[in-house]
Amino acid sequence: MKKLYTIVSILLLAATFTNAQSIFYEDFESGVPGQFTQEYIFGTTNWLGSTAGMTLGGSDPVFEGDSSAHMYGTNTEERTGLITPSLDMSASGYKLGFAHTQGNWAGDQNTLTIHYSGDDGTTWTLIDSIVDNVPNYIEVEYNLDDYVTTTATSKIRFTGYVTWGYAIGLDVVNVFLPAADDAELTNAVEPANGCGLGSETVAIEVFNNGLNTILSIDATYEVGIESESETFTVNIAAGETDTLYFSVPADLSVVGIYDFTSWIELTGDLDLT
């Protein structure tokens, strides 16, 4: 008789971006351009909102919510920008995050470029030009200090460049200063679903979403009525990931279905959700 052990659900409780200091956020739920200003660079193709008329190939029309910004045109090589208002980024450490998609249509590929201005739009510096086929929404993040010296008169411009590809989709644009201490539990590495399990190693993956290096962190897991809490000595630099292995394994020797829950706690991290 086959012994079946199933981890029916894995619940991860961890800190997220809500702990960061956001100075600009736009999800286009109230329409396009939202807080942006639209600028025609070449041609008159508009960025549009909601999900109506989106030609995104197989991609979902939005990353989250009910609306996003998208640009699609049949007049090739047209370029239109979305520009943020002036933002005070005189402090260092700011990041730009967003979600986007731009599928290839039978060899034709649209492009999204990101520029930064430190003088309220008088001059622009290229941050990135995304020319790849992106058939489904992905999240993208840039550490602006890697590209420019930010100022108190900063603007960011997204430019859509259409050349017959599937529409460019843009959503959840966020300019933020990461929290000093912010840990994110991103994945339960072990245990996994399987048969013939017994005393199983428990491991979780932690991402340092803050500015400070994490040197010590508390982690807990629960499997059924079993619970284990441990303090881990680590060295996780900002933007890096580490895997934490609990010294006490989970007892999965009894045939059945298990719920696995894990969470982390970091001193100074104000968001424990």
Side-chain angles (χ1 to χ4, degrees), residues 16-18 25 59 62-64 96-102 112 114 128 130 134-143 158 169-174 176 184 186 207 209:
T16 62
F17 289 116
T18 57
Y25 183 80
S59 174
V62 299
F63 177 72
E64 66 179 34
L96 168 66
F98 58 92
H100 97 293
T101 181
Q102 53 182 45
L112 179 69
I114 304 98
D128 199 6
I130 303 174
V134 185
N136 296 293
Y137 270 103
I138 60 171
E139 291 181 270
V140 181
E141 187 175 285
Y142 298 91
N143 182 355
F158 294 89
L170 181 67
D171 207 352
V172 293
V173 179
N174 191 19
F176 64 97
E184 182 179 354
T186 56
F207 174 71
N209 197 45

Side-chain angles (χ1 to χ4, degrees), residues 51-85:
T51 59
M54 298 193 74
T55 309
L56 288 175
S59 174
D60 292 330
V62 299
F63 177 72
E64 66 179 34
D66 298 316
S67 184
S68 66
H70 67 281
M71 183 177 170
Y72 171 78
T74 56
N75 296 322
T76 186
E77 298 186 358
E78 298 216 341
R79 298 184 294 277
T80 305
L82 290 176
I83 304 173
T84 69

Side-chain angles (χ1 to χ4, degrees), residues 6 25 30 35 45 49 55 74 99 129 133 139 144 150 178 241 259 263:
T6 301
Y25 183 80
S30 298
Q35 301 173 74
T45 298
T55 309
T74 56
S129 180
N133 174 29
E139 291 181 270
L144 293 175
T150 56
T241 299
D259 288 319
W263 64 92

Side-chain angles (χ1 to χ4, degrees), residues 204-240:
I204 58 175
E205 192 173 77
V206 175
F207 174 71
N208 184 356
N209 197 45
L211 298 175
N212 294 336
T213 298
I214 299 174
L215 300 176
S216 178
I217 190 168
D218 297 327
T220 301
Y221 76 82
E222 290 181 352
V223 178
I225 62 173
E226 183 181 2
S227 177
E228 171 66 13
S229 297
E230 297 181 15
T231 298
F232 293 85
T233 299
V234 294
N235 192 330
I236 311 174
E240 298 297 322

Side-chain angles (χ1 to χ4, degrees), residues 109-144:
Q109 180 66 62
N110 293 336
T111 299
L112 179 69
T113 59
I114 304 98
H115 286 83
Y116 168 85
S117 172
D119 51 16
D120 272 340
T122 301
T123 59
W124 294 94
T125 299
L126 179 68
I127 299 296
D128 199 6
S129 180
I130 303 174
V131 300
D132 299 327
N133 174 29
V134 185
N136 296 293
Y137 270 103
I138 60 171
E139 291 181 270
V140 181
E141 187 175 285
Y142 298 91
N143 182 355
L144 293 175

